[in-house]
Amino acid sequence: MQPAFSDYVAARSAALLRTAYLLTGNRADAEDLLQTTLAKTYLAWDRIRDRDALDGYVRRTMVNTQTSFWRRKKPESLYDTPPDRPGRDAQADSDLHDALWSALAKLGRKQRAVLVLRYYEDLSETETAALLGISVGTVKSTTSRALAVLRQDSSLRDDPRTALPLGAPR
Amino acid sequence: MSPIDDELRTTLQRRSTDVSPLPDPLGGITSRARRLRRRRVAAAMGSAAVVVAAVAVAVPLAMGGGTGTTVRQPAGSAEPTPSSQGALDPAQPWAERGLVGKEVVASSCAQCRPLFTQQFGSTTETFAVGENPDSALFLARDYTTANGAVLQQTQDLPKDLRVLTWALDGDATNPGRLVVIAAPDALVEYAPEGTGYQQISDVGQAPKGIGLVPLEAAAPKDTVRVTEADGTQVVVAAPDWKPADTSTPVNVLGWVHRGSAQKLSDAAVVAKFDAALPGTGGHYRSLVDGTSNGLDFTFGQAWHDGDAAAHTVAYDSSGVLFLGPETPRDPWVMAAVFSRTNATDLLVVLPRPGAGRIGYAPSATAAFTDIASGRSDLNSVGLVDRDPKALDDRVQVHRGDDSVILTEGVAKLTCGTKDCG
């Protein structure tokens, strides 16, 4: 194995595993997704001339690979159950985030990928569009619809922390 | 920022911190890569498009009474044949030839046994054979590149092989070449037109049982003849080959460039294109360039050497490339959206040269208004301050006589590689 590839994996695998976990919802599938993504990257390593763009290439490979995973499996079966979280003071927050995590599991694959890239990876709409191979308009509409689905989820519908700002259209 | 934005961001961050790193992130990558590669090779071998590497399987027929009778068998269509002395046995493969001891079989292919190693230009390449855990024979071609990297290509092989042939592309200074590997005691001959064989093993650079032929033009009738030490003769069709096609894909538009002088370099666009769609020999051809509200943009087509089709791409001075699908053949109109500000995006509408006026409607029910830019530097290019939330806005293109050629949704015109279908 080439040293440059090994160095890249050593430096980036932990962060990539976190992204894989958010895309898949459970540890086992996240590890499988990461390994497949890195294997594909290894095969393409010598064709990737712009090493500064590696992360983008790897993220795109991961999302595309996950797309095929989602097509084979039901999202409901993928998710880790929310872990117990200590501390009664944080209970309300914990409940909200567990509810959001569960609601995320009900989104479509593209909706979830867009949210992970926008809200976890902090990519712009344009960067997300370029990475996913979709238009900027599709990123915007997908984000908007995904957030609407989350707000309408039965466990989040009445929570004021997930409400739209005053005056915003519903 | 609405409350759910903040809560979602926090949820994702918290969840991600629960994930502990893998103890051995490199473990299993090479074996998984090998499986992926074999699947790809298996898929590729089922495609008529594969011409780079071909394995010929021949039915040997002992020469009877010295008459020299042979059976010709096209590549890949032979029935299994009984093994004999000249057949390739992965447990006891033919002796290694060429640059013995300088093979570049990767560490990931420890079970590979080298057959032939040669220097080709700046590359050292090794052809090796091995057996998978499921006892399937496979062939690996490893080679170093100019930057010292090692690539590997493998393909599954049928049993009872007597001759292996490849037609390989050349490089900048060397032509393509036919590589033939047979038993070390075999005579290898080549006939460009199927008759008039010339010996190609054990001559020049070619060791015993190895045939090397420069390829400079397609030769659809060429054949390879191998005569083994016991007189067994094998004739196979040489694998198809044609010079690497570096010409322009057929869907590259011959439209005149419009707009202002190109400020964003081809190299910058190609670098992003390579990152989005890995390949070698990237090209970019701009169709329109301009500046709007301080944003420099370029919109055109990009492709790699050998690609059958070019992609529509858009790039702006923020450094982000939009990779669109393969451009349709000679479309009436092309369009791209650039994210300019939070308030409005920039929609660039580029009609086929010679088209008449173009119109834009911000919704499915709104009336069309002409958008052909009044700016002389943009020459019939439409620029629209587009509502980022617009979902069903449309573009209309007219002929010179003002009849409508095309009415199309912006979403369809600006779709990417994944959301067109």
Side-chain angles (χ1 to χ4, degrees):
Chain A
M1 185 172 291
Q2 299 173 52
F5 178 77
S6 303
D7 292 346
Y8 177 78
V9 173
R12 298 292 298 144
S13 64
L16 291 169
L17 182 62
R18 289 195 287 272
T19 301
Y21 180 74
L22 296 178
L23 289 169
T24 61
N26 73 82
R27 172 82 188 201
D29 283 347
E31 289 183 10
D32 189 51
L33 175 60
L34 176 63
Q35 291 271 308
T36 301
T37 301
L38 292 176
K40 289 179 177 178
T41 305
Y42 178 62
L43 291 176
W45 187 254
D46 289 286
R47 286 181 284 126
I48 306 172
R49 288 183 295 181
D50 182 2
R51 292 296 156 89
D52 292 336
L54 257 177
D55 275 351
Y57 175 83
V58 174
R59 274 195 294 241
R60 182 180 306 106
T61 302
M62 180 176 284
V63 172
N64 288 341
T65 303
Q66 177 59 7
T67 296
S68 61
F69 280 19
W70 262 312
R71 283 177 179 151
R72 290 202 302 267
K73 298 180 179 180
K74 293 181 179 179
E76 294 80 4
S77 66
L78 293 175
Y79 278 71
D80 282 345
T81 52
D84 293 333
R85 293 180 184 278
R88 297 187 63 85
D89 292 343
Q91 190 60 47
D93 276 353
S94 176
D95 289 347
L96 172 64
H97 294 136
D98 288 347
L100 258 175
W101 182 247
S102 299
L104 279 166
K106 300 170 188 171
L107 295 179
R109 52 193 164 81
K110 186 186 287 184
Q111 288 180 331
R112 184 177 178 88
V114 167
L115 292 187
V116 169
L117 294 174
R118 295 280 290 116
Y119 291 96
Y120 178 71
E121 296 283 355
D122 267 338
L123 299 188
S124 68
E125 289 166 336
T126 311
E127 289 168 331
T128 303
L131 192 143
L132 291 173
I134 60 179
S135 66
V136 173
T138 303
V139 170
K140 291 174 179 175
S141 59
T142 303
T143 305
S144 174
R145 286 168 184 154
L147 292 178
V149 170
L150 293 183
R151 285 191 196 96
Q152 290 303 311
D153 191 85
S154 57
S155 57
L156 296 166
R157 195 178 302 154
D158 300 323
D159 194 311
R161 289 169 294 183
T162 63
L164 285 168
L166 285 176
R170 288 201 176 257
Chain B
M1 179 89 44
S2 65
I4 196 169
D5 289 332
D6 293 332
E7 298 299 345
L8 179 57
R9 205 178 293 276
T10 304
T11 297
L12 293 173
Q13 287 292 343
R14 286 189 182 179
R15 282 286 169 173
S16 72
T17 58
D18 291 340
V19 182
S20 57
L22 286 171
D24 177 20
L26 286 167
I29 289 178
T30 51
S31 59
R32 194 176 290 233
R34 202 175 302 129
R35 285 200 301 274
L36 283 170
R37 189 188 300 116
R38 289 195 190 112
R39 280 207 296 270
R40 289 177 183 176
V41 169
M45 288 183 76
S47 162
V50 173
V51 295
V52 173
V55 177
V57 183
V59 178
L61 185 68
M63 297 172 69
T67 58
T69 305
T70 61
V71 170
R72 292 176 53 156
Q73 190 70 28
S77 62
E79 295 295 323
T81 59
S83 180
S84 74
Q85 217 168 16
L88 178 59
D89 177 0
Q92 291 183 304
W94 300 326
E96 183 183 2
R97 283 154 286 170
L99 302 174
V100 177
K102 294 188 177 180
E103 64 271 11
V104 288
V105 177
S107 59
S108 60
C109 190
Q111 71 274 43
C112 291
R113 293 171 180 244
L115 297 174
F116 174 51
T117 298
Q118 70 164 344
Q119 189 75 28
F120 181 77
S122 59
T123 297
T124 303
E125 59 183 3
T126 298
F127 300 83
V129 66
E131 277 190 294
N132 292 331
D134 56 1
S135 296
L137 190 66
F138 74 89
L139 196 74
R141 174 174 170 255
D142 284 12
Y143 51 97
T144 60
T145 65
N147 62 7
V150 174
L151 300 177
Q152 187 181 71
Q153 299 173 337
T154 66
Q155 57 193 93
D156 294 335
L157 302 176
K159 294 184 182 301
D160 298 314
L161 279 169
R162 314 186 80 87
V163 55
L164 307 171
T165 62
W166 282 270
L168 298 170
D169 288 331
D171 58 23
T173 55
N174 298 283
R177 75 281 193 201
L178 174 68
V179 179
V180 182
I181 301 178
D185 55 4
L187 171 71
V188 182
E189 298 166 288
Y190 175 72
E193 293 296 326
T195 59
Y197 283 99
Q198 298 175 347
Q199 181 177 340
I200 58 172
S201 62
D202 203 14
V203 292
Q205 301 284 316
K208 290 179 181 297
I210 303 290
L212 300 172
V213 180
L215 296 173
E216 293 179 338
K221 296 180 181 175
D222 57 351
T223 54
V224 171
R225 184 167 70 187
V226 173
T227 306
E228 296 174 354
D230 63 358
T232 301
Q233 197 165 70
V234 178
V235 176
V236 297
D240 290 334
W241 181 86
K242 59 182 180 180
D245 181 15
T246 57
S247 60
T248 305
V250 293
N251 69 333
V252 171
L253 302 171
W255 298 358
V256 63
H257 176 266
R258 282 174 274 184
S260 54
Q262 188 175 341
K263 292 182 179 177
L264 302 163
S265 72
D266 285 358
V269 180
V270 168
K272 293 290 183 179
F273 179 60
D274 286 348
L277 201 67
T280 56
H283 304 271
Y284 174 67
R285 182 177 185 276
S286 170
L287 293 170
V288 60
D289 287 84
T291 301
S292 177
N293 287 8
L295 183 81
D296 296 328
F297 64 85
T298 185
F299 178 32
Q301 295 176 280
W303 66 96
H304 291 115
D305 283 346
D307 281 356
H311 282 257
T312 301
V313 297
Y315 181 71
D316 62 44
S317 48
S318 69
V320 174
L321 177 118
F322 168 69
L323 174 63
E326 293 177 356
T327 311
R329 294 281 293 274
D330 206 15
W332 276 108
V333 65
M334 296 173 68
V337 174
F338 296 89
S339 261
R340 186 171 49 187
T341 67
N342 289 332
T344 59
D345 290 338
L346 171 66
L347 170 65
V348 178
V349 182
L350 182 67
R352 185 193 297 181
R357 63 189 176 90
I358 48 179
Y360 174 78
S363 72
T365 54
F368 285 96
T369 55
D370 287 350
I371 57 167
S373 171
R375 290 165 52 174
S376 59
D377 62 338
L378 285 171
N379 186 19
S380 300
V381 177
L383 299 181
V384 178
D385 291 330
R386 182 179 187 246
D387 181 351
K389 296 175 183 170
L391 294 175
D392 50 7
D393 49 343
R394 297 170 295 156
V395 166
Q396 193 167 67
V397 182
H398 296 250
R399 289 190 177 87
D401 63 4
D402 217 29
S403 59
V404 174
I405 302 170
L406 175 88
T407 302
E408 190 62 89
V410 171
K412 186 168 183 182
L413 288 173
T414 60
C415 65
T417 52
K418 295 288 166 53
D419 59 353
C420 279

